[in-house]
Amino acid sequence: MVDVAAPLVAAAAKPGQFVIVCLSTDYSERIPLTIAGLDTQKGSIRLIWQAVGKSTAELANLKVGDTVENILGPLGKPTHIEKFGTVVCVGGGIGNAPLLPIARGMKEAGNKVISILGARNKELLILEDDFKAVSDEVIIVTDDGSYGRKALVTEPLEEICKGASKPNLAVAIGPGVMMKFCCATTKKYNVPTVVSLNTIMIDGTGMCGGCRVEVGGQTKFVCVDGPEFDGHLVNFDLMMKRMNAYKQLEKQAMENYEQHKCRLKDIGTEAQKNSKF
Amino acid sequence: MDESTKHLNELLAKHKAGILKPADRYEIPPQAMPAQDAIARRSNVSEVATGYTETQARLEALRCLGCKNAPCVAGCPVKIRIKDFIAPIVEGDFKKALDIIRENSLLPAVCGRVCPQEVQCQLPCTVGKKFKDVDKSVSIGRLERFVADWGRKNHDKTNPKIAPSTGKKVAVIGSGPGGIVVATDVRRAGHDVTVFEAFHKTGGVMVYGIPEFRLPKAIVREEIEQLKNMGVKIVCNFVVGRTRTIKELIEEDGFDAVYVGVGAGLPQFMGIEGEHLVGVYSANEYLTRANLMRAYDFGKGADTPIAMSKRVAVVGGGNVAMDSARTAVRLGAEKVYLIYRRSEKEMPARVEEVHHAKEEGIEFHLLRNPKRIIGDSGGVVCAIECLKYELGEPDASGRRRPVPIQGSEFQIEVDTVIIAIGNSANPLIGQTTNGLELNKWGNIVVDEKCKTSLDGVYAGGDIVLGAATVILAMGQGRTAAAAINEYLTGK
């Protein structure tokens, strides 16, 4: 997690929007990251991500005071927030980060907010306290049962949907497969469901089309038409396949990076050994 | 002394004596553009056309008849005084030639390379008409490039005079060819200019789209440096419509006028089965990964990956299709197929680009069009199914309409498909600017001065014209800049 000074982005950003980060101008990738929070007074935005590839690992190695060369945003359409009644916010893993400002917005608009937060295990659960502050009820589930209920997020979601007070809206953000099954669940009970997609992107302004998804049989661009869509219309299977497009190359880049880092560490240890102090 | 130098000296002697007749000029062979070897260049990204030698340039310049009515100028979107810049080339006074070009064109090194001269200045050329062959017209573009490169080599930079500060602020949205022209012309008039660019690098299509082997990035960098030296401010990572809206720029940030040159918008897809498969790219994405993000250096510094393609199908017949196909070759593809639904005659790509593409081994499948893209179980492209076409009656564009032949399906095994069939307008500015008139395709509507429906807001290039060219964007930039300067004088 980092807070980055980006006053123009902070001034314009609304829940549901994202930024594109490019660590160094010449050679770095452009990666989309959702805005998890902002401080308009300080002019900073909060980014939360999981280090899974080279660029996210590099980002994780930044220290306080370091500079991110390029941040573009805010991008995408903001979340449509109004008083719906009861809103269920379902977050999976790192998806809790973009979900938080939406949950807060929904709460501020006068909705009853029930948050379901899922993670593989206790260690990987994030932002629990923040969600408690903006929700009427928080349900925690973990895959291994190390914290909260041992269940998938779809279990409590289904219970809520078939309960006495059916929610008016569900918002689900997380891995593709989680969103897919959340939507399958809410569809059974006719609960409208918004999902936020984080596909592969380059420019983030509609120019490349790399982020395209099929929604209701039509091609849509996540960066300008989204990132939020009617989850009941999204073709998640296609989306998940597209998101794996560079798995092999990403793995290779990560391995190279790790080796490079190890070498640096070796040099560092060597230098320490040689140091007289 | 070699043959061509000897030939040149003989001609120059006659020319000086005033006895070089048009018939003599017709006899000078058109000078071929020297190029990198077709096999060698398949594995590098260096520039393909290497440029005329001085002897070649002067020989080619001698082919110009200096027509009184100068039909060529009518074909030039920025009205360069063509025969006037060609005449000093004959004399070897390249500095004078360059100064004449610069009166009208700000980016001669770019235009000399990427302008479609064969449908502009070179089309009405009297020499070409005489031979009934546009390829035999005077090579105005190559001469322009020669002069511009001479200037770059000899560090001959213009130091445009800048009028005293007016205190007026102008925002230029987009740092592509149109934006550069507007920024220069408006800055010259003494206004304070800020260029906003959404990408992290400046230059627009000249940097993300047109490949290095056709337009070296160094040239674009020099142009941007020139802007900075003139005192133009450049802000990257700023997307108008999201970071700030046009309304905010004018009402809150104090800009007195805005030029919208945001360029190509959303890539079009064909709407056929299989377009979401892994390995299907828009040309914009493929070229951006390769050029802007330098994916050709993946694993050697660059972090952005691109498909390691072996067999590639490119769909389309324009310059962008050629650029994509030729980029795929350079990224290591063994087979690259270009699939176009009409015949070669109807191809919008420049003849030179088609010629280079063929030399580099790209296989043309003409009168063919994809019906669907076929994927394997993992959702990765494995083949493209096409239909054969024949040409029917002319359509609205005046070109004969391609008609599919029923039952003519056939498949080509490929691992990558690049769709290069054009762009539709980007909706960002339109959606976030109240009162901005758009046409039914979402392009911004402007008058003959490039003014939009909003006061103080001007637009040009692809966002107005749909898919156009660098030179047309520059032409509109010129018009818009003049209108902005006029508007601000009255304000």
Side-chain angles (χ1 to χ4, degrees):
Chain A
M1 183 181 86
V2 287
D3 287 334
V4 202
L8 287 169
V9 181
K14 297 200 175 56
Q17 290 190 299
F18 63 98
V19 291
I20 284 198
V21 173
C22 177
L23 277 172
S24 79
T25 300
D26 262 352
Y27 273 126
S28 286
E29 272 182 288
R30 292 168 64 91
I31 49 172
L33 294 173
T34 315
I35 302 167
L38 37 95
D39 186 329
T40 41
Q41 300 253 296
K42 284 192 201 149
S44 65
I45 56 169
R46 175 161 294 181
L47 302 174
I48 300 180
W49 69 96
Q50 198 173 357
V52 288
K54 189 203 167 197
S55 300
T56 42
E58 266 185 311
L59 195 55
N61 283 335
L62 292 183
K63 292 172 197 65
V64 173
D66 282 352
T67 306
V68 175
E69 277 187 27
N70 307 286
I71 294 186
L72 171 72
L75 300 169
K77 291 182 176 166
T79 309
H80 175 68
I81 289 178
E82 63 168 66
K83 190 170 176 189
F84 294 97
T86 302
V87 178
V88 188
C89 293
V90 192
I94 202 73
N96 291 356
L99 186 64
L100 180 64
I102 299 173
R104 184 180 292 125
M106 290 296 179
K107 182 69 194 164
E108 283 167 2
N111 291 288
K112 179 183 175 190
V113 174
I114 305 172
S115 298
I116 304 173
L117 307 178
R120 279 214 301 275
N121 55 48
K122 189 179 177 183
E123 298 279 277
L124 292 172
L125 181 76
I126 57 167
L127 301 171
E128 182 189 353
D129 290 340
D130 301 74
F131 271 94
K132 281 189 171 148
V134 299
S135 314
D136 294 85
E137 188 186 346
V138 174
I139 302 163
I140 310 278
V141 297
T142 48
D143 292 0
D144 64 355
S146 55
Y147 191 53
R149 269 171 76 173
K150 182 175 192 286
L152 297 172
V153 288
T154 42
E155 271 184 42
L157 178 62
E158 178 144 20
E159 287 159 20
I160 294 166
C161 287
K162 69 177 168 196
S165 55
K166 193 168 94 169
N168 303 83
L169 181 76
V171 182
I173 308 181
V177 65
M178 179 212 106
M179 293 191 281
K180 177 184 167 178
F181 284 103
C182 283
C183 292
T185 305
T186 55
K187 195 158 187 197
K188 277 196 279 184
Y189 302 96
N190 272 323
V191 175
T193 303
V194 171
V195 293
S196 177
L197 308 181
N198 188 0
T199 49
I200 295 170
M201 274 180 205
I202 301 183
D203 62 301
T205 64
M207 197 275 287
C208 83
C211 64
R212 66 190 184 277
V213 285
E214 196 181 282
V215 181
Q218 287 192 323
T219 295
K220 296 279 178 192
F221 292 177
V222 171
C223 64
V224 288
D225 300 319
E228 294 177 5
F229 293 98
D230 178 346
H232 294 156
L233 298 177
V234 172
N235 186 333
F236 287 104
D237 292 336
L238 270 181
M239 183 190 90
M240 285 187 271
K241 281 179 181 159
R242 281 189 68 77
M243 289 186 71
N244 285 334
Y246 298 104
K247 266 270 146 69
Q248 202 50 43
L249 292 170
E250 280 161 5
K251 216 177 117 202
Q252 183 196 324
M254 189 62 185
E255 279 164 9
N256 290 347
Y257 178 63
E258 293 282 331
Q259 274 177 12
H260 175 69
K261 247 187 9 191
C262 286
R263 275 207 305 275
L264 283 181
K265 220 159 89 192
D266 289 347
I267 296 166
T269 333
E270 201 60 25
Q272 258 176 10
K273 253 193 275 170
N274 296 337
S275 160
K276 290 190 178 121
F277 302 99
Chain B
M1 194 186 294
D2 66 19
E3 278 305 307
S4 51
T5 314
K6 227 195 261 171
H7 189 200
L8 174 66
N9 287 341
E10 284 163 21
L11 290 166
L12 284 174
K14 274 178 130 182
H15 172 74
K16 276 187 191 127
I19 52 168
L20 192 69
K21 300 264 174 357
D24 301 323
R25 294 182 191 268
Y26 286 135
E27 269 174 31
I28 307 169
Q31 300 297 302
M33 179 58 119
Q36 242 200 95
D37 173 72
I39 303 296
R41 72 187 192 232
R42 281 177 61 104
S43 47
N44 70 51
V45 292
S46 306
E47 194 168 16
V48 168
T50 48
Y52 276 164
T53 61
E54 192 176 317
T55 307
Q56 278 187 302
R58 294 178 76 182
L59 278 170
E60 187 66 27
L62 277 164
R63 297 183 64 235
C64 176
L65 304 175
C67 310
K68 258 205 186 91
N69 60 345
C72 46
V73 178
C76 173
V78 294
K79 303 282 173 273
I80 293 176
R81 287 162 47 205
I82 293 167
K83 65 175 173 185
D84 298 340
F85 96 74
I86 291 182
I89 297 177
V90 173
E91 313 298 334
D93 189 351
F94 308 127
K95 161 91 184 131
K96 186 172 171 195
L98 185 55
D99 287 341
I100 292 171
I101 295 175
R102 277 179 178 154
E103 290 170 13
N104 298 81
S105 173
L106 292 167
L107 306 172
V110 175
C111 294
R113 286 173 167 80
V114 304
C115 267
Q117 291 97 6
E118 63 278 7
V119 294
Q120 295 179 349
C121 53
Q122 290 171 203
L123 184 63
C125 171
T126 313
V127 179
K129 293 269 185 228
K130 157 86 181 167
F131 292 106
K132 296 194 175 62
D133 181 357
V134 70
D135 291 345
K136 297 215 164 82
S137 294
V138 177
S139 287
I140 301 166
R142 293 170 182 174
L143 290 174
E144 181 184 22
R145 171 183 164 167
F146 171 80
V147 171
D149 286 355
W150 177 89
R152 294 174 60 226
K153 259 183 238 138
N154 294 282
H155 308 288
D156 183 275
K157 292 220 168 105
T158 43
N159 285 310
K161 280 203 195 86
I162 294 165
S165 173
T166 61
K168 300 270 187 351
K169 276 172 73 179
V170 178
V172 173
I173 308 171
S175 65
I180 292 177
V181 167
V182 174
T184 308
D185 279 0
V186 171
R187 177 72 193 125
R188 276 176 176 170
H191 306 304
D192 183 82
V193 179
T194 307
V195 176
F196 295 102
E197 167 58 48
F199 263 129
H200 58 291
K201 290 180 195 166
T202 44
V205 72
M206 299 184 290
V207 168
Y208 75 74
I210 302 175
E212 176 79 14
F213 57 82
R214 207 149 74 78
L215 177 63
K217 308 276 176 288
I219 294 174
V220 184
R221 269 201 303 275
E222 288 162 19
E223 299 300 340
I224 299 286
E225 280 310 307
Q226 168 88 348
L227 277 188
K228 288 185 189 160
N229 292 339
M230 289 171 66
V232 171
K233 290 169 214 143
I234 299 190
V235 181
C236 284
N237 300 305
F238 192 106
V239 59
V240 175
R242 290 271 188 247
T243 312
R244 302 290 278 166
T245 61
I246 289 183
K247 193 169 170 242
E248 287 166 337
L249 289 176
I250 294 174
E251 291 176 5
E252 295 172 27
D253 303 338
F255 285 98
D256 299 282
V258 175
Y259 176 77
V260 184
V262 294
L266 312 176
Q268 282 171 2
F269 290 91
M270 289 179 292
I272 59 171
E273 183 189 327
E275 277 183 321
H276 288 260
L277 292 166
V278 173
V280 181
Y281 290 90
S282 74
N284 285 357
E285 180 183 0
Y286 193 78
L287 291 173
T288 303
R289 282 180 184 271
N291 294 320
L292 184 81
M293 312 307 294
R294 301 161 77 155
Y296 51 80
D297 279 340
F298 181 76
K300 289 177 279 179
D303 292 340
T304 303
I306 196 162
M308 298 291 184
S309 315
K310 291 291 163 221
R311 302 168 69 88
V312 180
V314 179
V315 183
N319 289 323
V320 175
M322 299 303 148
D323 286 346
S324 305
R326 298 173 66 197
T327 297
V329 165
R330 284 160 177 77
L331 287 171
E334 287 154 11
K335 281 271 179 200
V336 180
Y337 307 99
L338 188 118
I339 300 171
Y340 179 55
R341 63 196 182 124
R342 303 183 198 241
S343 72
E344 188 167 330
K345 211 175 86 195
E346 288 84 16
M347 272 195 174
R350 296 189 59 199
V351 175
E352 188 176 316
E353 305 309 326
V354 174
H355 172 72
H356 281 149
K358 284 184 175 168
E359 276 187 348
E360 287 165 16
I362 287 148
E363 285 179 34
F364 283 51
H365 283 259
L366 302 169
L367 289 164
R368 307 282 184 269
N369 205 32
K371 190 180 168 196
R372 63 181 177 126
I373 304 165
I374 302 161
D376 63 17
S377 55
V380 181
V381 173
C382 60
I384 186 164
E385 185 172 290
C386 300
L387 267 174
K388 295 182 180 169
Y389 277 60
E390 58 194 356
L391 291 178
E393 295 300 308
D395 62 12
S397 74
R399 296 177 299 179
R400 290 179 65 191
R401 194 155 51 95
V403 185
I405 302 169
Q406 295 310 322
S408 63
E409 287 88 348
F410 67 102
Q411 292 184 0
I412 311 174
E413 232 178 87
V414 290
D415 52 40
T416 305
V417 174
I418 303 168
I419 317 274
I421 57 169
N423 292 287
S424 35
N426 191 307
L428 265 185
I429 297 268
Q431 277 171 3
T432 55
T433 315
N434 277 339
L436 186 69
E437 192 189 337
L438 308 175
N439 68 14
K440 64 174 168 175
W441 298 284
N443 294 104
I444 299 175
V445 176
V446 297
D447 65 14
E448 71 284 356
K449 288 184 168 176
C450 289
K451 182 189 168 297
T452 68
S453 56
L454 295 174
D455 275 349
V457 181
Y458 298 77
D462 278 6
I463 191 65
V464 168
L465 301 166
T469 59
V470 166
I471 188 70
L472 287 175
M474 289 176 54
Q476 286 204 312
R478 261 273 136 98
T479 308
I484 290 171
N485 289 338
E486 190 189 314
Y487 169 76
L488 292 179
T489 313
K491 220 181 153 190

